[in-house]
Amino acid sequence: FPMAATDPQVLALAAQITESTEQDIPLLLLKLKGILSSPSLGCEESKKIKQDMYDYGLTQYCLLVLKRDHSQLRGAWATAAQLAEILSHCCVGLEVKEDPEEFSKKFLPSAVDSLLVLGKRLQARYIRAIKDKEKQDFLHWFQIVTDAICWLFGGHIQLAACVLQNDRFLQLLITDDVETAIIMMSVLHNILRINSSVLLQVEEKILHSVLDELVYKLSSTTNPAVGSAATKLLLLVAKFCKQLVQLFTAHYKGLKELLSEQWAGKGFDRELNQLLDLLCLEESNGKGEMQKQHQAACIVQAAWRGFQTRRRLKKLPQAVITLQRRFRAKREQELQHLTKQKEDEALKLQMQLQRQRAMRLFHERQLAFLEVVHASQVNKYMEEMEEKSALTIQRFWRGYRARRIFHQQKQSLKEYKAAVIIQRAACKFLEKRRRRRPLSPWKEPKGLTDEQRLALQQKVDDYIKLHPASQMSEETSKELHMQAQAKLAQFLLRSRLDQRAAQRREALLAQVNTDVELLMNAPGLAETTEKDLGAFMSRSIPVATKARQTHNTMLKYTRWPWWKKLGDEFMEDDVIPDDAINTELETLFIGGRK
């Protein structure tokens, strides 16, 4: 830092910027505008403050901030436009004492390039904007940047040629937008007013490009403001550079007719007449056969360019619609990608925070438990925790390995299932076809020939000789036959008895089911009527007598004292056990029993 006396405001601001983050630096640099616009500053004091700003690197900071992505700044484009204005005011009137060559040949051209880049981006945003408020804001910021450029090359005249030779200046000038085109032509007007010979210092290609654009604007638009600005520029070029009038008449043969027919009576007739007079004067000095041929060629070229222009203008709306649609689709895709990326980052951050919180709680619980556990049990507890941790890790690893193996075998499993399905379908198809196949007609087997019959008889005889049959007497055979007949009769008798027993069991089961249904559907004792009693009374006199006797016996049994019910020895002969009662009556329901 310089050792001379420094303005305290500049010194304090430099200290703040040194200690601040990159996001806060642009807003801090905006304070330079208040320092430069202080009404108490004189000419010498202003130069001294600008020198201090450059020495402390504040001016360089402004240039570095302008080279960044302007949409990421705080305040976005408004901050960038104000910094451009501050940078131009800091550079104008600044006399660098140490290394002035670097300042004039490196720093100032870099500043011009940064301002032109900012102007190009603002122009693009202004053209793409839809809302009126956005268009007005971008146009205002674009005007501030162009004023800063004009102020910069107004204080340093050598920058006029640098601005004109920059490719971005020509890109800004070549536009179909009316407002920004008028502003850029005013910048070109200031360049020619400050340095009238600058067009002769630039390359011929750049000169032709600028003049072609001015003539094109005269031929392709009907806006009086654009026509007036272009006409005044051509007049200024013709006045300051007499040799360029020959270029007008040689390369733009139809310019005179274009000006007189299309732009007469549009509100700038004085400048238009002066330009026409200069063109007529130049044409009268160099008329000849060659000029007529060139004029005819220029007319053809102008007609062809007019045809191309009209055709391009007809296709322009559709092209603009297509371009806008693709741009909106691309912008929507970018927004979706950014949204998804932000959501993924937020999810990742949330998962990380959850893991950290869970780990912190685990450590807190572990520390709290260690405080409670006796010192002799700490090692045992740590071993148990290590064993549990190892089991958890092993369980997760086995699960991961099983899932990986399953995914690897998933394709083979799918192929196996597909093969099984195909095989099943093929088997069903073959089975159906086999069933549908008609039976072949029966064919009588072929008889044996004499030779075959003799050979077969010989084999039978040989077998009988090798395996002779056992001899059995007639009495033994009859006895064996009688035993077989007896066993057969016994089997038939047993089968008949078993059949009758099965029929009796089925009848009893049917009767039991019927009685159960009657009892389940029977009403309560309070709701019973005489009609309901008929369903439970038997018409058989022996059955009714036996049921009455059993009922009386049970009533008598219930009135016995407890000591008579302790064993079978205390029962009377007329008392019938429950099993006997159930066996005899089988389907009879004993009321009051559980």
Side-chain angles (χ1 to χ4, degrees), residues 34-52:
I35 298 174
L36 292 173
S37 59
S38 178
S40 61
L41 294 178
C43 182
E44 295 297 329
E45 294 176 352
S46 177
K47 290 183 179 180
K48 181 65 172 59
I49 287 178
K50 293 178 181 179
Q51 182 67 38
D52 292 340

Side-chain angles (χ1 to χ4, degrees), residues 447-493:
L448 297 175
T449 62
D450 295 338
E451 295 178 357
Q452 292 177 351
R453 189 177 293 108
L454 291 174
L456 184 59
Q457 185 65 35
Q458 183 66 32
K459 288 182 180 180
V460 171
D461 294 341
D462 294 340
Y463 182 82
I464 292 173
K465 289 178 181 180
L466 292 174
H467 304 86
S470 60
Q471 297 293 330
M472 183 180 294
S473 64
E474 184 177 355
E475 290 147 358
T476 307
S477 178
K478 287 181 179 181
E479 186 181 356
L480 184 61
H481 176 69
M482 292 301 293
Q483 291 178 359
Q485 290 294 328
K487 289 184 179 180
L488 178 61
Q490 187 179 3
F491 170 75
L492 292 175
L493 180 61

Side-chain angles (χ1 to χ4, degrees), residues 402-415:
R403 287 190 296 272
R404 186 176 62 182
I405 294 173
F406 174 74
H407 284 297
Q408 291 176 355
Q409 296 178 352
K410 192 173 182 180
Q411 184 64 27
S412 60
L413 182 62
K414 188 183 294 184
E415 293 177 356

Side-chain angles (χ1 to χ4, degrees), residues 556-570:
K556 185 178 180 180
Y557 178 77
T558 56
R559 294 188 184 95
W560 282 358
W562 63 270
W563 49 271
K564 281 189 177 183
K565 301 177 184 179
L566 291 176
D568 296 337
E569 65 272 18
F570 298 106

Side-chain angles (χ1 to χ4, degrees), residues 185 213-215 217-218 224-236 259 263 268 275:
M185 285 191 287
E213 182 60 26
L214 294 177
V215 175
K217 291 185 183 301
L218 288 173
V226 177
S228 175
T231 303
K232 290 178 180 179
L233 277 174
L234 291 177
L235 179 61
L236 191 63
L259 294 173
W263 297 104
F268 50 93
L275 182 58

